[in-house]
């Protein structure tokens, strides 16, 4: 009887990072689509919905979390070494994220602030 040792190389964490970052992008897009107003800060974004609910994505220590009306603590990303929200124009901003493994993510988002432009 012979045994065959199967060696499957483990994928680097970038695969997981890519999936998590794509999911984060989806969450931001979804929040933008449900919002009538967006408020940008260096380390966070506030999405104001039609019913007045405020959804916040912010850095807290080494995570990015989601909060609703300044309550709760839903973790969206872990092991974040850098998170920055960079306004470009009145309706365009960039989110820049660097993970602890130095995997970087940067995406540009467009939004229409319906509260000020009905």
């Amino acid at each position: 009887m012979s045994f065959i040792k199967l060696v499957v190389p483990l994928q680097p964490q970038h695969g997981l990072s890519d999936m998590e970052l794509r999911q984060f992008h989806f969450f931001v897009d979804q929040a933008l689509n449900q919002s009538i107003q967006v408020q940008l800060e260096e380390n966070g974004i506030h999405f104001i919905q039609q019913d007045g609910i405020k959804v916040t994505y912010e850095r807290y220590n080494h995570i990015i979390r989601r909060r609703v009306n300044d309550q709760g603590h839903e973790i969206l990303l872990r092991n974040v070494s850098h998170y920055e929200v960079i306004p470009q124009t009145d309706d365009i901003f960039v989110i820049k994220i660097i993970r602890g493994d130095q995997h970087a993510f940067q995406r540009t988002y467009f939004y229409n602030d319906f509260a000020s432009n009905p």
Side-chain angles (χ1 to χ4, degrees), residues 66-103:
R66 177 182 183 269
R67 302 185 79 204
V68 178
N69 290 332
D70 298 320
Q71 297 180 8
H73 179 82
E74 179 183 353
I75 298 173
L76 300 175
L77 289 174
R78 296 178 185 273
N79 194 22
V80 174
S81 62
H82 181 82
Y83 174 70
E84 186 176 8
V85 179
I86 308 162
Q88 300 292 304
T89 65
D90 288 342
D91 54 2
I92 297 174
F93 65 94
V94 172
I95 295 178
K96 182 177 181 179
I97 299 169
I98 301 175
R99 303 289 300 263
D101 61 5
Q102 299 307 306
H103 188 73

Side-chain angles (χ1 to χ4, degrees), residues 23-88:
Q23 186 176 31
F24 177 78
H25 166 66
F26 173 79
F27 290 148
V28 171
D29 276 345
Q30 187 176 32
L32 281 170
N33 288 331
Q34 297 173 350
S35 300
I36 60 167
Q37 186 178 14
V38 177
Q39 300 168 349
L40 305 176
E41 296 178 359
E42 184 177 335
N43 284 315
I45 309 170
H46 305 287
F47 302 97
I48 312 302
Q49 298 177 352
Q50 181 82 30
D51 55 7
I53 292 175
K54 178 174 80 170
V55 177
T56 302
Y57 288 19
E58 64 187 0
R59 182 171 178 197
Y60 179 76
N61 295 325
H62 295 285
I63 65 167
I64 297 175
R65 68 180 179 180
R66 177 182 183 269
R67 302 185 79 204
V68 178
N69 290 332
D70 298 320
Q71 297 180 8
H73 179 82
E74 179 183 353
I75 298 173
L76 300 175
L77 289 174
R78 296 178 185 273
N79 194 22
V80 174
S81 62
H82 181 82
Y83 174 70
E84 186 176 8
V85 179
I86 308 162
Q88 300 292 304

